Amino acid sequence: AQSVAQPEDQVNVAEGNPLTVKCTYSVSGNPYLFWYVQYPNRGLQFLLKYITGDNLVKGSYGFEAEFNKSQTSFHLKKPSALVSDSALYFCAVRPILLISSGSARQLTFGSGTQLTVLP
Amino acid sequence: GAVVSQHPSWVICKSGTSVKIECRSLDFQATTMFWYRQFPKQSLMLMATSNEGSKATYEQGVEKDKFLINHASLTLSTLTVTSAHPEDSSFYICSASSVSYEQYFGPGTRLTVT
């Protein structure tokens, strides 16, 4: 079974500073990895994904994430944080399977990290 | 593209009544839809997975008679909370997936049972 850990419940960063939101995963085989953002009372918005290829993935709103297979990590980063980036961030994983049936496309989510960017 | 809608976005109902939440994929055919429940400032808890035209697969601990899921077409899935009680109050989110690996999430439905 797969699992995702987001070790920090809360991350605070000053506007303009770089931000990192940590994620580590456990999965049998190779993973699909995702980052989503959630604003209050809203659904999840897709930020970026890693499927294969380049370990550095660039996504929406200036976010990027680096896949590190040896450390089983997929940390989310942004060079310069904005106040509007303040939200709840979720890392998610699913295994790459040869047969992608409905249930096999289930995502396992981390517990979420609340990012607060201070003006 | 890949837009998923939910209706209603917010519903208040009295204890003992039933509430239906709709999840629609607007511009793609969703062979699989997922229903999640989320408590304040917590992660998403998968409730069930539904494939079009077949019965939903419920996660352990989720009452299938209480949370009825129907996936009658490739663009519509419904979640009915039967005989709702205050402890069912939560944020319910659906997601839809086609033959690719991605899930597209709806905006969520806030259910309050009084």
Side-chain angles (χ1 to χ4, degrees), chain B residues 63-97:
Chain B
E63 298 176 60
K64 56 184 69 176
D65 293 331
K66 181 165 190 61
F67 298 100
L68 301 178
I69 291 172
N70 183 274
H71 192 165
S73 77
L74 286 170
T75 59
L76 173 64
S77 176
T78 60
L79 167 67
T80 301
V81 183
T82 62
S83 186
H85 291 286
E87 57 265 29
D88 299 324
S89 298
S90 192
F91 194 53
Y92 293 88
I93 302 175
C94 74
S95 71
S97 177

CSV table of all heavy atoms in Angstrom, one decimal, chain B residues 63-97:
chain,number,residue,atom,x,y,z
B,63,GLU,N,-20.4,3.5,5.2
B,63,GLU,CA,-21.7,2.8,5.2
B,63,GLU,C,-22.3,3.0,3.8
B,63,GLU,O,-22.7,4.1,3.4
B,63,GLU,CB,-22.6,3.4,6.2
B,63,GLU,CG,-22.1,3.2,7.6
B,63,GLU,CD,-23.1,3.9,8.6
B,63,GLU,OE1,-24.3,3.4,8.6
B,63,GLU,OE2,-22.7,4.8,9.3
B,64,LYS,N,-22.3,1.9,3.0
B,64,LYS,CA,-22.9,2.0,1.7
B,64,LYS,C,-24.4,2.2,1.7
B,64,LYS,O,-24.9,2.8,0.7
B,64,LYS,CB,-22.5,0.7,0.9
B,64,LYS,CG,-23.0,-0.6,1.5
B,64,LYS,CD,-22.5,-1.8,0.7
B,64,LYS,CE,-21.0,-1.9,0.8
B,64,LYS,NZ,-20.5,-3.1,0.1
B,65,ASP,N,-25.1,1.9,2.7
B,65,ASP,CA,-26.5,2.2,2.7
B,65,ASP,C,-26.8,3.6,3.1
B,65,ASP,O,-27.9,4.1,2.9
B,65,ASP,CB,-27.2,1.2,3.7
B,65,ASP,CG,-27.2,-0.2,3.3
B,65,ASP,OD1,-27.1,-0.4,2.1
B,65,ASP,OD2,-27.2,-1.1,4.1
B,66,LYS,N,-25.8,4.3,3.7
B,66,LYS,CA,-26.0,5.6,4.1
B,66,LYS,C,-25.6,6.6,3.0
B,66,LYS,O,-26.2,7.6,2.7
B,66,LYS,CB,-25.2,5.9,5.3
B,66,LYS,CG,-25.4,7.4,5.8
B,66,LYS,CD,-24.9,7.5,7.2
B,66,LYS,CE,-25.3,8.9,7.7
B,66,LYS,NZ,-26.8,9.1,7.8
B,67,PHE,N,-24.5,6.2,2.3
B,67,PHE,CA,-23.9,7.1,1.3
B,67,PHE,C,-24.1,6.3,-0.1
B,67,PHE,O,-23.3,5.5,-0.5
B,67,PHE,CB,-22.5,7.3,1.5
B,67,PHE,CG,-22.2,8.1,2.8
B,67,PHE,CD1,-21.8,7.4,3.9
B,67,PHE,CD2,-22.4,9.5,2.8
B,67,PHE,CE1,-21.5,8.1,5.1
B,67,PHE,CE2,-22.2,10.2,4.0
B,67,PHE,CZ,-21.7,9.5,5.2
B,68,LEU,N,-25.2,6.6,-0.7
B,68,LEU,CA,-25.6,5.9,-1.9
B,68,LEU,C,-24.9,6.6,-3.1
B,68,LEU,O,-25.1,7.8,-3.3
B,68,LEU,CB,-27.1,5.9,-2.1
B,68,LEU,CG,-27.9,5.2,-1.0
B,68,LEU,CD1,-29.4,5.3,-1.3
B,68,LEU,CD2,-27.5,3.7,-0.9
B,69,ILE,N,-24.2,5.8,-3.9
B,69,ILE,CA,-23.5,6.4,-5.1
B,69,ILE,C,-24.0,5.8,-6.3
B,69,ILE,O,-24.1,4.5,-6.4
B,69,ILE,CB,-22.0,6.2,-4.9
B,69,ILE,CG1,-21.5,7.1,-3.8
B,69,ILE,CG2,-21.3,6.6,-6.2
B,69,ILE,CD1,-20.0,6.8,-3.4
B,70,ASN,N,-24.3,6.6,-7.3
B,70,ASN,CA,-24.8,6.2,-8.6
B,70,ASN,C,-24.0,6.8,-9.7
B,70,ASN,O,-23.8,8.0,-9.6
B,70,ASN,CB,-26.3,6.5,-8.7
B,70,ASN,CG,-26.8,6.0,-10.1
B,70,ASN,OD1,-26.7,6.7,-11.1
B,70,ASN,ND2,-27.4,4.8,-10.0
B,71,HIS,N,-23.5,6.0,-10.6
B,71,HIS,CA,-22.7,6.5,-11.7
B,71,HIS,C,-23.4,6.1,-13.0
B,71,HIS,O,-22.9,5.2,-13.7
B,71,HIS,CB,-21.3,6.0,-11.6
B,71,HIS,CG,-20.3,6.7,-12.5
B,71,HIS,ND1,-18.9,6.5,-12.3
B,71,HIS,CD2,-20.4,7.4,-13.5
B,71,HIS,CE1,-18.3,7.2,-13.2
B,71,HIS,NE2,-19.1,7.8,-14.0
B,72,ALA,N,-24.5,6.7,-13.3
B,72,ALA,CA,-25.3,6.3,-14.4
B,72,ALA,C,-24.8,6.6,-15.8
B,72,ALA,O,-25.2,5.9,-16.7
B,72,ALA,CB,-26.7,6.9,-14.2
B,73,SER,N,-24.0,7.6,-15.9
B,73,SER,CA,-23.5,7.9,-17.2
B,73,SER,C,-22.0,8.3,-17.1
B,73,SER,O,-21.5,8.4,-16.0
B,73,SER,CB,-24.3,9.1,-17.8
B,73,SER,OG,-23.9,10.3,-17.2
B,74,LEU,N,-21.4,8.5,-18.3
B,74,LEU,CA,-20.0,8.9,-18.3
B,74,LEU,C,-19.7,10.3,-17.9
B,74,LEU,O,-18.6,10.7,-17.8
B,74,LEU,CB,-19.4,8.6,-19.7
B,74,LEU,CG,-19.2,7.1,-20.0
B,74,LEU,CD1,-18.8,7.0,-21.5
B,74,LEU,CD2,-18.1,6.5,-19.1
B,75,THR,N,-20.8,11.1,-17.6
B,75,THR,CA,-20.6,12.4,-17.2
B,75,THR,C,-21.2,12.8,-15.9
B,75,THR,O,-21.2,13.9,-15.4
B,75,THR,CB,-21.1,13.4,-18.3
B,75,THR,OG1,-22.5,13.2,-18.5
B,75,THR,CG2,-20.3,13.2,-19.6
B,76,LEU,N,-21.9,11.8,-15.2
B,76,LEU,CA,-22.6,12.2,-14.0
B,76,LEU,C,-22.5,11.1,-13.0
B,76,LEU,O,-22.7,9.9,-13.3
B,76,LEU,CB,-24.1,12.4,-14.4
B,76,LEU,CG,-25.1,12.6,-13.2
B,76,LEU,CD1,-24.7,13.9,-12.4
B,76,LEU,CD2,-26.5,12.6,-13.6
B,77,SER,N,-22.2,11.5,-11.8
B,77,SER,CA,-22.2,10.6,-10.6
B,77,SER,C,-23.0,11.4,-9.5
B,77,SER,O,-22.8,12.6,-9.4
B,77,SER,CB,-20.8,10.2,-10.1
B,77,SER,OG,-20.9,9.4,-9.0
B,78,THR,N,-23.7,10.6,-8.7
B,78,THR,CA,-24.4,11.3,-7.6
B,78,THR,C,-24.1,10.6,-6.3
B,78,THR,O,-24.0,9.4,-6.3
B,78,THR,CB,-26.0,11.3,-7.8
B,78,THR,OG1,-26.4,9.9,-7.9
B,78,THR,CG2,-26.3,12.1,-9.1
B,79,LEU,N,-24.1,11.4,-5.3
B,79,LEU,CA,-23.9,10.9,-3.9
B,79,LEU,C,-25.1,11.3,-3.1
B,79,LEU,O,-25.4,12.5,-3.1
B,79,LEU,CB,-22.7,11.5,-3.3
B,79,LEU,CG,-22.5,11.3,-1.7
B,79,LEU,CD1,-22.3,9.8,-1.4
B,79,LEU,CD2,-21.3,12.1,-1.2
B,80,THR,N,-25.9,10.3,-2.6
B,80,THR,CA,-27.0,10.6,-1.8
B,80,THR,C,-26.7,10.3,-0.3
B,80,THR,O,-26.4,9.1,0.0
B,80,THR,CB,-28.3,9.9,-2.2
B,80,THR,OG1,-28.5,10.2,-3.6
B,80,THR,CG2,-29.5,10.2,-1.4
B,81,VAL,N,-26.8,11.3,0.5
B,81,VAL,CA,-26.6,11.0,2.0
B,81,VAL,C,-28.0,10.8,2.5
B,81,VAL,O,-28.9,11.7,2.6
B,81,VAL,CB,-26.0,12.2,2.7
B,81,VAL,CG1,-25.8,11.9,4.2
B,81,VAL,CG2,-24.7,12.6,2.0
B,82,THR,N,-28.3,9.6,2.9
B,82,THR,CA,-29.6,9.2,3.4
B,82,THR,C,-29.8,9.4,4.9
B,82,THR,O,-28.8,9.2,5.6
B,82,THR,CB,-30.0,7.7,3.0
B,82,THR,OG1,-29.0,6.9,3.7
B,82,THR,CG2,-29.9,7.5,1.5
B,83,SER,N,-31.0,9.8,5.3
B,83,SER,CA,-31.2,10.0,6.7
B,83,SER,C,-30.0,10.7,7.4
B,83,SER,O,-29.4,10.2,8.3
B,83,SER,CB,-31.5,8.7,7.4
B,83,SER,OG,-31.9,8.9,8.8
B,84,ALA,N,-29.8,11.9,6.9
B,84,ALA,CA,-28.6,12.7,7.4
B,84,ALA,C,-28.7,13.0,8.8
B,84,ALA,O,-29.8,13.3,9.3
B,84,ALA,CB,-28.4,13.9,6.5
B,85,HIS,N,-27.6,13.1,9.5
B,85,HIS,CA,-27.5,13.5,10.9
B,85,HIS,C,-26.4,14.5,11.0
B,85,HIS,O,-25.5,14.6,10.1
B,85,HIS,CB,-27.2,12.3,11.8
B,85,HIS,CG,-28.3,11.3,11.9
B,85,HIS,ND1,-29.5,11.6,12.6
B,85,HIS,CD2,-28.5,10.1,11.3
B,85,HIS,CE1,-30.3,10.6,12.5
B,85,HIS,NE2,-29.8,9.7,11.7
B,86,PRO,N,-26.3,15.3,12.1
B,86,PRO,CA,-25.3,16.3,12.2
B,86,PRO,C,-23.9,15.8,12.0
B,86,PRO,O,-23.1,16.6,11.5
B,86,PRO,CB,-25.6,16.8,13.6
B,86,PRO,CG,-27.0,16.6,13.9
B,86,PRO,CD,-27.3,15.3,13.2
B,87,GLU,N,-23.6,14.6,12.4
B,87,GLU,CA,-22.2,14.1,12.2
B,87,GLU,C,-21.9,13.9,10.7
B,87,GLU,O,-20.7,13.6,10.4
B,87,GLU,CB,-22.0,12.8,13.0
B,87,GLU,CG,-23.0,11.7,12.7
B,87,GLU,CD,-24.2,11.6,13.6
B,87,GLU,OE1,-24.6,12.7,14.1
B,87,GLU,OE2,-24.7,10.5,13.8
B,88,ASP,N,-22.9,13.9,9.9
B,88,ASP,CA,-22.6,13.8,8.4
B,88,ASP,C,-22.2,15.2,7.8
B,88,ASP,O,-21.8,15.2,6.7
B,88,ASP,CB,-23.8,13.3,7.7
B,88,ASP,CG,-24.2,11.9,8.1
B,88,ASP,OD1,-23.3,11.1,8.4
B,88,ASP,OD2,-25.4,11.6,8.2
B,89,SER,N,-22.3,16.2,8.6
B,89,SER,CA,-21.9,17.5,8.1
B,89,SER,C,-20.4,17.5,7.8
B,89,SER,O,-19.6,17.1,8.6
B,89,SER,CB,-22.2,18.6,9.2
B,89,SER,OG,-23.6,18.7,9.5
B,90,SER,N,-20.1,17.9,6.6
B,90,SER,CA,-18.8,17.9,6.1
B,90,SER,C,-18.7,18.5,4.8
B,90,SER,O,-19.6,19.0,4.2
B,90,SER,CB,-18.3,16.4,6.0
B,90,SER,OG,-16.9,16.3,5.8
B,91,PHE,N,-17.5,18.5,4.2
B,91,PHE,CA,-17.2,19.0,2.9
B,91,PHE,C,-17.0,17.8,2.0
B,91,PHE,O,-16.1,17.0,2.3
B,91,PHE,CB,-16.0,19.9,2.9
B,91,PHE,CG,-15.8,20.8,1.7
B,91,PHE,CD1,-16.8,21.6,1.2
B,91,PHE,CD2,-14.6,20.8,1.0
B,91,PHE,CE1,-16.6,22.4,0.1
B,91,PHE,CE2,-14.4,21.6,-0.1
B,91,PHE,CZ,-15.4,22.4,-0.6
B,92,TYR,N,-17.8,17.7,1.0
B,92,TYR,CA,-17.8,16.5,0.1
B,92,TYR,C,-17.2,16.9,-1.3
B,92,TYR,O,-17.7,17.9,-1.9
B,92,TYR,CB,-19.1,15.9,-0.1
B,92,TYR,CG,-19.6,15.2,1.2
B,92,TYR,CD1,-20.4,16.0,2.1
B,92,TYR,CD2,-19.4,13.9,1.5
B,92,TYR,CE1,-20.8,15.4,3.3
B,92,TYR,CE2,-19.8,13.3,2.7
B,92,TYR,CZ,-20.5,14.1,3.6
B,92,TYR,OH,-21.0,13.5,4.8
B,93,ILE,N,-16.2,16.2,-1.7
B,93,ILE,CA,-15.5,16.6,-3.0
B,93,ILE,C,-15.5,15.4,-3.9
B,93,ILE,O,-15.3,14.2,-3.4
B,93,ILE,CB,-14.1,17.0,-2.7
B,93,ILE,CG1,-14.0,18.2,-1.8
B,93,ILE,CG2,-13.4,17.3,-4.1
B,93,ILE,CD1,-12.5,18.6,-1.4
B,94,CYS,N,-15.9,15.6,-5.1
B,94,CYS,CA,-15.8,14.5,-6.1
B,94,CYS,C,-14.6,14.8,-7.0
B,94,CYS,O,-14.1,15.9,-7.2
B,94,CYS,CB,-17.1,14.3,-6.9
B,94,CYS,SG,-17.3,15.6,-8.1
B,95,SER,N,-14.1,13.7,-7.7
B,95,SER,CA,-13.2,13.9,-8.7
B,95,SER,C,-13.5,12.9,-9.8
B,95,SER,O,-14.2,11.9,-9.6
B,95,SER,CB,-11.7,13.6,-8.2
B,95,SER,OG,-11.5,12.2,-7.9
B,96,ALA,N,-13.1,13.2,-11.0
B,96,ALA,CA,-13.4,12.4,-12.2
B,96,ALA,C,-12.1,12.1,-12.9
B,96,ALA,O,-11.2,12.9,-13.0
B,96,ALA,CB,-14.3,13.1,-13.1
B,97,SER,N,-12.1,10.9,-13.5
B,97,SER,CA,-10.9,10.4,-14.2
B,97,SER,C,-11.3,9.7,-15.5
B,97,SER,O,-12.3,9.0,-15.5
B,97,SER,CB,-10.1,9.4,-13.3
B,97,SER,OG,-9.0,8.9,-14.0
